[in-house]
Amino acid sequence: MRPQDIIAKKRDGHALTKDEIGIFIGGVCDGAWADYQISALVMAMFINGLNDEEQNILTQSMLHSGDTIDLADIDRPKADKHSTGGVGDKTSLIIAPLAAACGLAVPMISGRGLGHTGGTLDKLESIPGYNVRLTLDELKQTIKACGFAMAGQTDRLVPADKKLYAMRDATATVPYIPLIVASIMSKKLAENLDALALDVKTGTGAFMNEFEDAKRLAEAMCQTGNACGVKTQAVISDMNQPLGKYVGNSLEVYECLKIMRNEHDDIMLPTRELSIDLTARMLTLTGFCKDIETAKMLCEQKLSEGAPLESFRANIELQHGDVRVIDNPETLLNGSLKEIAVTAAGSGFINGIDSLAIGEAICEIGGGRTKAEDAVDHAVGYLSAKQIGDAVREGEELGVIFCRTREQADSVFAKLQTAYRITDESTTKPELIKYVV
Ligand code: URA
């Protein structure tokens, strides 16, 4: 069947068959389809839609476009977590070692930060020497040895997504739920999991600002995951303010280590709570624990015993990082940085925080990248001292910028200050977990 026949069918609003979607994905990977033909079909899908069956077939075709991770000889339930990304979203760094300490195998394939959201790989690379470029065999050996591995996507894992995502990015066809589902879920399902916990964020710093959009995405991802034989559950979590205390690569690793060392403060509690919730879902979905309460108790017990910290120590050693950060997380903090306070412009209550602006500000001072090839300054970042619902007085500290130069702080000060909406009326703190699908 010729590409133009498949394009015409979708252009005219018809559902595509398994064979037709298979031909398309094959053509994307082997170059038989020209870029303009790929773009035309993706645009036709965007405009005329994909039904659930097409969404599931597309996901399956994409996941089989390259190698998959075979963990059959690891005698533990296999589970992972995926987040749609946010500001200060660092839970992967706790979830992987915590789930491993509880008894799961976690093949955590992660990404890099782009725009206002951070990426797990960049965070991990703030640990000196930590190697995120593992072959599939190294990934497997690491999981066998310590229960989890965290690494980037290899060229052989879901190659169709790399090409398709580039086409979608260049043709304004990224924001369509079935295409997002196929893109995200094909990469996760290539890990051959038993269970997957999804963290779909909603709010000012999320990919999906509106709750209803986040819910539709969560439902669509759960539908595809479960239809493909992976027990999948999603939480919709709050991203109306940065998660926890710090934003920025080294600072976020520091926060996670403080939590795993049981040395956290109150501002870090949401990071801890969300990490436990998602890990507990992985434990119940795999059948490892009988219910979410039992699973949460197990997580609390492991954290209080320091077991995830020891899993992380073993993992850092295996991935060639500097294990000294485990016993001395302060080595992650760069003492030569300037710490500039962001102060409240008025008195009242914090009624809203523009998390997107905070994420962008950190990106602007080097903590993130605007283009995939940009370098990242792992040390810079932000301490988020006040949250929604807190009372503040004019001049009081809202947060602290960690930066290299005074000029950097000056360039983002106003953006950070105006990210806080301060009003006379008090407000309640937003719920961290808003909904479970
Ligand atoms: N993240 C992905 O990996 N794919 C999408 O399509 C959107 C977000």
Side-chain angles (χ1 to χ4, degrees), residues 349-352 387-390 423-430:
F349 297 90
I350 299 178
N351 245 289
Q387 272 73 44
I388 294 174
D390 286 348
T423 61
D424 291 338
E425 311 84 56
S426 63
T427 187
T428 49
K429 294 192 181 287

Side-chain angles (χ1 to χ4, degrees), residues 238-376:
D238 184 62
M239 190 27 72
N240 282 302
Q241 55 191 347
L243 180 70
K245 185 166 182 174
Y246 292 107
V247 181
N249 296 295
S250 297
L251 292 165
E252 293 187 35
V253 178
Y254 173 75
E255 177 172 341
C256 293
L257 287 169
K258 293 301 268 184
I259 291 170
M260 287 189 273
R261 290 174 57 81
N262 298 303
E263 292 169 356
H264 50 278
D265 59 28
D266 285 356
I267 314 180
M268 298 176 184
L269 283 177
T271 306
R272 187 178 188 276
E273 186 189 334
L274 188 56
S275 304
I276 290 179
D277 187 280
L278 290 162
T279 311
R281 289 183 197 282
M282 290 158 64
L283 289 163
T284 38
L285 286 167
T286 53
F288 194 88
C289 290
K290 70 175 185 337
D291 55 41
I292 189 94
E293 281 70 36
T294 315
K296 283 187 182 178
M297 271 160 51
L298 179 63
C299 291
E300 289 285 357
Q301 182 203 326
K302 293 289 176 189
L303 275 165
S304 70
E305 290 167 355
L309 193 71
E310 293 316 310
S311 299
F312 204 13
R313 186 194 302 276
N315 170 268
I316 293 177
E317 228 156 37
L318 288 158
Q319 296 199 215
H320 307 295
D322 184 348
V323 284
R324 284 176 295 181
V325 299
I326 292 283
D327 297 317
N328 193 1
E330 278 65 31
T331 56
L332 286 162
L333 306 180
N334 183 328
S336 68
L337 291 181
K338 299 202 178 328
E339 296 182 22
I340 313 286
V342 176
T343 49
S347 300
F349 297 90
I350 299 178
N351 245 289
I353 300 180
D354 183 350
S355 320
L356 172 64
I358 295 179
E360 283 175 350
I362 300 316
C363 193
E364 277 167 46
I365 61 169
R369 52 172 80 74
T370 41
K371 296 189 298 304
E373 57 277 16
D374 289 347
V376 165

Side-chain angles (χ1 to χ4, degrees), residues 90-410:
K90 53 190 86 75
T91 60
S92 294
L93 302 173
I94 297 177
I95 291 172
L98 176 56
C102 290
L104 302 183
V106 186
M108 198 171 261
I109 302 290
S110 304
R112 296 197 177 273
L114 192 60
H116 71 285
T117 60
T120 302
L121 300 182
D122 295 322
K123 295 173 209 210
L124 287 165
E125 282 181 344
S126 56
I127 301 172
Y130 195 96
N131 176 25
V132 296
R133 293 170 207 272
L134 302 184
T135 62
L136 290 185
D137 193 50
E138 286 165 339
L139 183 96
K140 193 167 155 178
Q141 295 314 322
T142 307
I143 300 169
K144 267 191 176 166
C146 73
F148 75 100
M150 294 192 275
Q153 204 182 334
T154 68
D155 287 345
R156 288 300 311 144
L157 211 64
V158 197
D161 182 61
K162 202 168 184 182
K163 175 90 186 188
L164 266 185
Y165 192 85
M167 296 282 120
R168 288 168 58 211
D169 198 28
T171 57
T173 48
V174 170
Y176 177 53
I177 283 182
L179 295 177
I180 298 172
V181 170
S183 167
I184 293 176
M185 295 302 282
S186 59
K187 288 175 282 194
K188 284 289 142 182
L189 300 183
E191 294 174 359
N192 279 311
L193 304 169
D194 298 311
L196 176 64
L198 298 166
D199 179 14
V200 180
K201 306 231 173 253
T202 181
T204 53
F207 186 48
M208 295 284 176
N209 290 171
E210 302 300 328
F211 175 81
E212 284 306 323
D213 293 336
K215 186 163 168 262
R216 281 194 300 129
L217 177 61
E219 284 167 350
M221 288 201 286
C222 287
Q223 183 278 120
T224 291
N226 287 307
C228 296
V230 176
K231 295 219 170 72
T232 309
Q233 199 176 55
V235 301
I236 299 182
S237 73
D238 184 62
M239 190 27 72
N240 282 302
Q241 55 191 347
L243 180 70
K245 185 166 182 174
Y246 292 107
V247 181
N249 296 295
S250 297
L251 292 165
E252 293 187 35
V253 178
Y254 173 75
E255 177 172 341
C256 293
L257 287 169
K258 293 301 268 184
I259 291 170
M260 287 189 273
R261 290 174 57 81
N262 298 303
E263 292 169 356
H264 50 278
D265 59 28
D266 285 356
I267 314 180
M268 298 176 184
L269 283 177
T271 306
R272 187 178 188 276
E273 186 189 334
L274 188 56
S275 304
I276 290 179
D277 187 280
L278 290 162
T279 311
R281 289 183 197 282
M282 290 158 64
L283 289 163
T284 38
L285 286 167
T286 53
F288 194 88
C289 290
K290 70 175 185 337
D291 55 41
I292 189 94
E293 281 70 36
T294 315
K296 283 187 182 178
M297 271 160 51
L298 179 63
C299 291
E300 289 285 357
Q301 182 203 326
K302 293 289 176 189
L303 275 165
S304 70
E305 290 167 355
L309 193 71
E310 293 316 310
S311 299
F312 204 13
R313 186 194 302 276
N315 170 268
I316 293 177
E317 228 156 37
L318 288 158
Q319 296 199 215
H320 307 295
D322 184 348
V323 284
R324 284 176 295 181
V325 299
I326 292 283
D327 297 317
N328 193 1
E330 278 65 31
T331 56
L332 286 162
L333 306 180
N334 183 328
S336 68
L337 291 181
K338 299 202 178 328
E339 296 182 22
I340 313 286
V342 176
T343 49
S347 300
F349 297 90
I350 299 178
N351 245 289
I353 300 180
D354 183 350
S355 320
L356 172 64
I358 295 179
E360 283 175 350
I362 300 316
C363 193
E364 277 167 46
I365 61 169
R369 52 172 80 74
T370 41
K371 296 189 298 304
E373 57 277 16
D374 289 347
V376 165
D377 184 342
H378 293 98
V380 300
Y382 186 65
L383 182 161
S384 164
K386 297 280 181 200
Q387 272 73 44
I388 294 174
D390 286 348
V392 287
R393 278 172 288 101
E394 186 180 340
E396 197 178 341
E397 190 174 287
L398 298 168
V400 181
I401 312 168
F402 292 77
C403 53
R404 301 267 170 196
T405 63
R406 179 81 226 186
E407 290 69 39
Q408 277 183 325
D410 290 346

